Amino acid sequence: MNGIHDVGGMHGFGAVDTDDDGELFHERWEALAFAMQVVTIHGAELYNLHEFRRAREQVDPAEYLSSAYYDNWLAAVEKILIEKGVVTDAELRERVAAVKHGGESTPESSDPALTERTLQRIHNRDASVVAVDPRFEPGDAVVVRNQHPEGHTRGPGYLRRCVGVVDAVRGGFELPDASAHGEKRVEPLYGVTFDAEDVWGDSSDGTAIHIDLWESYIADPEASAANAARAEKVNETRPETDDTRAN
């Protein structure tokens, strides 16, 4: 999907604000929105992470840009719970109106079993790795396919047609593009390094970009001197190890 959520490489948004005051949440409702997402995915297993991301991408672009981070999380959770039939839009609106006007309080509850199940699934994420037969291996040059899928994808638009070098084979993971629509398809996942100048041009700071890409996102680059030179340049700066994991 070519959506506003994938703003990497777009002009006009200014530099990324890296200020960090050390606070994970600045208001209580943000923590509650975060907890709702974590529990409904990992504890109740009502949907998966990729379905959640798809729902976020369907937020109106103007609303997406003007809303706070956890506003968009909450909107996505509401949307997907309505899609799954957990709650209706009318029920949600009625409940919000009642609480907003003081007619009802926000309920609080404790479910130790749900909490334990949620924590277990979060801590056992490595169990989702599947043995696969990868097409590429560390050191191979690859090019990111120029794909424009209508649905969810984890392939960044700013890397399309860029040539990089495989750093590592992560194993087999469910393809987000399929999981976001309730399908299960496992593909090899690769750690790939790109020369920042090839991606960002003269405005880059000369560093490298490290990113995880599924096999269907990449292909063998054309056998040209230019692509071979790019791969050699990236290989010279490629780190010996890379601990980046798929999120």
Side-chain angles (χ1 to χ4, degrees):
M1 173 181 288
N2 297 319
I4 196 61
H5 63 282
D6 188 13
V7 297
M10 293 186 184
H11 293 287
F13 290 93
V16 175
D17 183 2
T18 58
D19 289 342
D20 183 4
D21 59 8
E23 296 292 332
L24 293 177
F25 309 107
H26 296 88
E27 296 184 37
R28 184 171 180 271
W29 74 267
E30 294 181 340
L32 292 175
F34 175 83
M36 287 175 61
Q37 187 258 28
V38 172
V39 170
T40 50
I41 289 179
H42 299 290
E45 300 184 65
L46 297 174
Y47 53 95
N48 63 53
L49 178 60
H50 305 299
E51 289 177 299
F52 169 72
R53 286 172 170 156
R54 173 185 57 81
R56 282 179 58 191
E57 292 162 7
Q58 293 176 337
V59 174
D60 180 78
E63 181 181 345
Y64 186 94
L65 290 176
S66 61
S67 299
Y69 183 71
Y70 286 108
D71 270 328
N72 286 323
W73 272 47
L74 187 57
V77 170
E78 292 174 352
K79 177 177 178 58
I80 202 165
L81 290 182
I82 291 173
E83 287 180 357
K84 298 290 183 179
V86 178
V87 64
T88 67
D89 183 64
E91 289 172 335
L92 181 61
R93 291 178 182 275
E94 181 180 346
R95 180 65 181 170
V96 169
V99 173
K100 183 177 181 180
H101 293 94
E104 297 183 36
S105 61
T106 304
E108 294 190 13
S109 63
S110 176
D111 188 336
L114 181 62
T115 301
E116 180 63 24
R117 186 162 62 249
T118 300
L119 293 175
Q120 284 183 352
R121 287 204 66 205
I122 291 174
H123 294 155
N124 293 331
R125 289 176 62 194
D126 286 347
S128 61
V129 182
V130 178
V132 289
D133 183 19
R135 177 184 177 187
F136 304 102
E137 60 184 31
D140 285 349
V142 294
V143 62
V144 179
R145 297 178 183 273
N146 184 25
Q147 300 177 131
H148 300 260
E150 293 184 0
H152 173 71
T153 183
R154 294 290 283 169
Y158 62 84
L159 285 179
R160 292 169 186 155
R161 304 185 207 179
C162 292
V163 175
V165 173
V166 174
D167 284 323
V169 180
R170 309 289 188 205
F173 288 83
E174 286 192 10
L175 178 68
D177 308 47
S179 296
H181 300 279
E183 304 172 14
K184 286 193 175 183
R185 190 192 319 165
V186 174
E187 285 191 6
L189 181 69
Y190 303 91
V192 185
T193 297
F194 297 86
D195 187 311
E197 187 173 345
D198 286 341
V199 178
W200 308 123
D202 295 339
S203 60
S204 72
D205 57 5
T207 59
I209 299 171
H210 308 279
I211 192 164
D212 286 345
L213 297 171
W214 273 262
E215 190 166 275
S216 59
Y217 298 171
I218 57 179
D220 291 320
E222 296 178 358
S224 66
N227 283 340
R230 287 179 179 177
E232 182 177 357
K233 183 178 180 181
V234 173
N235 250 328
E236 292 175 353
T237 60
R238 183 165 60 92
E240 295 183 0
T241 60
D242 185 351
D243 296 329
T244 304
R245 300 304 302 272
N247 292 320

Coordinates of all heavy atoms in Angstrom, one line a residue, residues 179-218:
S179 N -0.5 -12.3 6.3 CA -1.1 -12.4 7.7 C -2.0 -11.3 8.0 O -3.0 -11.4 8.7 CB 0.1 -12.3 8.7 OG 0.9 -13.5 8.6
A180 N -1.8 -10.1 7.4 CA -2.7 -8.9 7.6 C -4.1 -9.2 7.0 O -5.0 -8.5 7.4 CB -2.1 -7.7 6.8
H181 N -4.2 -10.2 6.2 CA -5.6 -10.5 5.7 C -6.0 -11.9 6.1 O -6.8 -12.6 5.4 CB -5.5 -10.4 4.1 CG -5.1 -9.0 3.7 ND1 -6.1 -7.9 3.7 CD2 -4.0 -8.5 3.3 CE1 -5.4 -6.8 3.3 NE2 -4.2 -7.1 3.1
G182 N -5.4 -12.4 7.2 CA -5.9 -13.7 7.7 C -5.3 -14.9 7.0 O -5.7 -16.1 7.3
E183 N -4.3 -14.8 6.2 CA -3.7 -15.9 5.5 C -2.4 -16.2 6.1 O -1.7 -15.3 6.7 CB -3.5 -15.6 4.0 CG -4.7 -15.2 3.3 CD -4.4 -14.7 1.9 OE1 -3.3 -14.9 1.4 OE2 -5.3 -14.1 1.2
K184 N -1.9 -17.5 6.0 CA -0.6 -17.9 6.6 C 0.3 -18.3 5.5 O 0.0 -19.3 4.8 CB -0.8 -19.0 7.6 CG -1.4 -18.5 8.9 CD -1.3 -19.6 10.0 CE -1.8 -19.1 11.3 NZ -1.6 -20.1 12.4
R185 N 1.4 -17.6 5.3 CA 2.4 -18.0 4.3 C 3.8 -17.6 4.9 O 4.0 -16.5 5.4 CB 2.2 -17.2 3.1 CG 3.1 -17.6 1.9 CD 3.0 -16.7 0.7 NE 1.7 -16.1 0.5 CZ 1.5 -15.0 -0.3 NH1 2.6 -14.4 -0.8 NH2 0.3 -14.6 -0.5
V186 N 4.6 -18.6 5.0 CA 6.0 -18.5 5.6 C 7.0 -18.2 4.5 O 7.0 -18.9 3.5 CB 6.4 -19.7 6.4 CG1 7.8 -19.6 6.9 CG2 5.4 -19.8 7.6
E187 N 7.9 -17.3 4.7 CA 8.9 -17.0 3.7 C 10.2 -16.7 4.5 O 10.2 -16.3 5.7 CB 8.6 -15.7 2.9 CG 7.6 -15.9 1.8 CD 7.6 -14.6 0.9 OE1 8.4 -13.7 1.1 OE2 6.7 -14.6 0.0
P188 N 11.4 -17.0 3.8 CA 12.6 -16.6 4.5 C 12.7 -15.1 4.7 O 12.2 -14.3 3.9 CB 13.7 -17.0 3.4 CG 13.0 -18.1 2.6 CD 11.6 -17.7 2.6
L189 N 13.3 -14.7 5.8 CA 13.5 -13.3 6.1 C 15.0 -13.0 6.2 O 15.8 -13.8 6.7 CB 12.9 -13.0 7.5 CG 13.0 -11.5 8.0 CD1 12.1 -10.6 7.1 CD2 12.6 -11.5 9.5
Y190 N 15.4 -11.9 5.6 CA 16.8 -11.6 5.4 C 17.1 -10.2 6.1 O 16.3 -9.3 6.0 CB 17.2 -11.5 4.0 CG 17.0 -12.7 3.2 CD1 15.8 -12.9 2.5 CD2 17.9 -13.7 3.1 CE1 15.5 -14.1 1.7 CE2 17.7 -14.9 2.3 CZ 16.5 -15.0 1.7 OH 16.3 -16.2 0.9
G191 N 18.3 -10.1 6.7 CA 18.9 -8.8 7.1 C 19.6 -8.3 5.9 O 20.5 -9.0 5.4
V192 N 19.3 -7.1 5.4 CA 19.9 -6.5 4.2 C 20.5 -5.2 4.5 O 19.8 -4.4 5.2 CB 18.9 -6.4 3.0 CG1 19.6 -6.0 1.8 CG2 18.2 -7.8 2.8
T193 N 21.7 -4.9 4.0 CA 22.3 -3.6 4.2 C 22.3 -2.8 2.9 O 22.6 -3.3 1.8 CB 23.8 -3.8 4.7 OG1 23.8 -4.4 6.0 CG2 24.5 -2.4 4.8
F194 N 22.0 -1.5 3.0 CA 22.0 -0.6 1.9 C 23.0 0.6 2.1 O 23.1 1.1 3.3 CB 20.6 0.0 1.6 CG 19.6 -1.1 1.2 CD1 18.9 -1.8 2.2 CD2 19.4 -1.4 -0.1 CE1 18.0 -2.8 1.9 CE2 18.4 -2.4 -0.4 CZ 17.8 -3.1 0.6
D195 N 23.6 1.1 1.1 CA 24.4 2.3 1.2 C 23.4 3.5 1.3 O 22.6 3.6 0.4 CB 25.3 2.4 0.0 CG 26.3 3.6 0.1 OD1 25.9 4.7 0.4 OD2 27.5 3.4 -0.1
A196 N 23.5 4.3 2.3 CA 22.6 5.4 2.5 C 22.6 6.4 1.3 O 21.6 6.9 1.0 CB 22.9 6.1 3.8
E197 N 23.7 6.5 0.7 CA 23.8 7.5 -0.4 C 23.0 7.0 -1.6 O 22.4 7.8 -2.3 CB 25.3 7.7 -0.8 CG 25.4 8.8 -1.9 CD 26.9 9.1 -2.2 OE1 27.8 8.7 -1.4 OE2 27.2 9.8 -3.2
D198 N 23.0 5.7 -1.8 CA 22.2 5.1 -2.9 C 20.7 5.3 -2.7 O 19.9 5.4 -3.6 CB 22.4 3.6 -3.0 CG 23.8 3.3 -3.7 OD1 24.4 4.2 -4.3 OD2 24.3 2.2 -3.5
V199 N 20.3 5.4 -1.4 CA 18.9 5.5 -1.0 C 18.5 7.0 -0.9 O 17.5 7.4 -1.5 CB 18.6 4.8 0.3 CG1 17.1 5.0 0.7 CG2 18.9 3.3 0.2
W200 N 19.3 7.8 -0.2 CA 18.9 9.2 0.1 C 19.6 10.2 -0.8 O 19.2 11.4 -0.8 CB 19.2 9.5 1.5 CG 18.7 8.6 2.6 CD1 19.4 7.9 3.5 CD2 17.3 8.2 2.8 NE1 18.6 7.1 4.3 CE2 17.3 7.3 3.9 CE3 16.1 8.5 2.2 CZ2 16.1 6.7 4.4 CZ3 14.9 8.0 2.6 CH2 14.9 7.1 3.7
G201 N 20.6 9.7 -1.6 CA 21.3 10.7 -2.4 C 22.3 11.5 -1.6 O 22.8 11.1 -0.6
D202 N 22.6 12.7 -2.2 CA 23.6 13.6 -1.6 C 23.2 14.0 -0.2 O 24.1 14.5 0.6 CB 23.8 14.8 -2.4 CG 24.4 14.4 -3.8 OD1 25.0 13.3 -3.9 OD2 24.3 15.2 -4.7
S203 N 22.0 13.9 0.2 CA 21.5 14.4 1.6 C 21.9 13.4 2.7 O 21.6 13.7 3.8 CB 20.1 14.7 1.6 OG 19.3 13.6 1.3
S204 N 22.4 12.2 2.3 CA 22.6 11.2 3.3 C 23.9 11.6 4.1 O 24.7 12.4 3.7 CB 22.9 9.8 2.6 OG 24.1 9.8 1.9
D205 N 24.1 11.0 5.2 CA 25.2 11.3 6.1 C 26.3 10.2 5.9 O 27.3 10.2 6.7 CB 24.8 11.4 7.5 CG 24.2 10.1 8.0 OD1 24.1 9.1 7.3 OD2 23.7 10.0 9.2
G206 N 26.2 9.4 4.9 CA 27.3 8.4 4.6 C 27.2 7.1 5.4 O 28.1 6.3 5.3
T207 N 26.1 6.9 6.1 CA 26.0 5.7 6.9 C 25.3 4.6 6.1 O 25.0 4.8 4.9 CB 25.2 6.0 8.2 OG1 23.9 6.5 7.8 CG2 25.9 7.0 9.1
A208 N 25.1 3.5 6.7 CA 24.4 2.4 6.0 C 23.0 2.2 6.6 O 22.8 2.6 7.8 CB 25.2 1.1 6.2
I209 N 22.2 1.6 5.9 CA 20.8 1.3 6.3 C 20.7 -0.2 6.5 O 21.0 -1.0 5.5 CB 19.8 1.8 5.3 CG1 19.9 3.3 5.2 CG2 18.4 1.4 5.7 CD1 19.0 3.9 4.1
H210 N 20.2 -0.7 7.6 CA 20.1 -2.1 7.9 C 18.6 -2.4 8.1 O 17.9 -1.8 8.9 CB 20.8 -2.6 9.1 CG 22.3 -2.2 9.1 ND1 23.2 -2.9 8.4 CD2 22.9 -1.1 9.7 CE1 24.4 -2.3 8.6 NE2 24.2 -1.2 9.3
I211 N 18.0 -3.3 7.3 CA 16.6 -3.6 7.4 C 16.3 -5.1 7.1 O 17.1 -5.7 6.3 CB 15.8 -2.7 6.4 CG1 14.3 -2.7 6.7 CG2 16.1 -3.0 5.0 CD1 13.6 -1.6 6.0
D212 N 15.3 -5.6 7.7 CA 14.8 -7.0 7.4 C 13.8 -7.0 6.3 O 12.8 -6.2 6.3 CB 14.2 -7.6 8.7 CG 15.3 -7.9 9.7 OD1 16.5 -7.9 9.4 OD2 14.9 -8.1 10.9
L213 N 14.0 -7.9 5.3 CA 13.1 -8.0 4.2 C 12.7 -9.4 3.9 O 13.6 -10.3 3.9 CB 13.8 -7.4 2.9 CG 14.1 -5.9 3.0 CD1 15.0 -5.5 1.8 CD2 12.8 -5.0 3.0
W214 N 11.5 -9.7 3.6 CA 11.0 -11.0 3.2 C 11.5 -11.3 1.8 O 11.7 -10.4 1.0 CB 9.5 -11.1 3.4 CG 9.1 -11.5 4.7 CD1 8.8 -12.7 5.2 CD2 9.0 -10.6 5.9 NE1 8.5 -12.7 6.5 CE2 8.6 -11.4 7.0 CE3 9.2 -9.3 6.1 CZ2 8.4 -10.9 8.3 CZ3 9.0 -8.7 7.4 CH2 8.6 -9.5 8.4
E215 N 11.5 -12.6 1.5 CA 12.1 -13.0 0.2 C 11.3 -12.5 -1.0 O 11.9 -12.2 -2.1 CB 12.2 -14.6 0.1 CG 13.0 -15.1 -1.1 CD 13.3 -16.5 -0.9 OE1 14.3 -16.8 -0.3 OE2 12.6 -17.4 -1.5
S216 N 10.0 -12.4 -0.9 CA 9.2 -11.9 -2.0 C 9.4 -10.4 -2.3 O 9.0 -9.9 -3.3 CB 7.7 -12.2 -1.8 OG 7.3 -11.6 -0.6
Y217 N 10.1 -9.7 -1.4 CA 10.4 -8.3 -1.6 C 11.6 -8.1 -2.4 O 11.8 -6.9 -2.9 CB 10.6 -7.6 -0.3 CG 9.4 -7.6 0.7 CD1 9.6 -7.1 2.0 CD2 8.2 -8.0 0.4 CE1 8.6 -7.1 2.9 CE2 7.1 -8.0 1.3 CZ 7.3 -7.6 2.5 OH 6.3 -7.5 3.5
I218 N 12.5 -9.1 -2.6 CA 13.8 -8.9 -3.2 C 14.0 -9.8 -4.4 O 13.3 -10.8 -4.5 CB 14.9 -9.0 -2.2 CG1 14.8 -10.4 -1.5 CG2 14.8 -7.9 -1.2 CD1 15.9 -10.7 -0.5

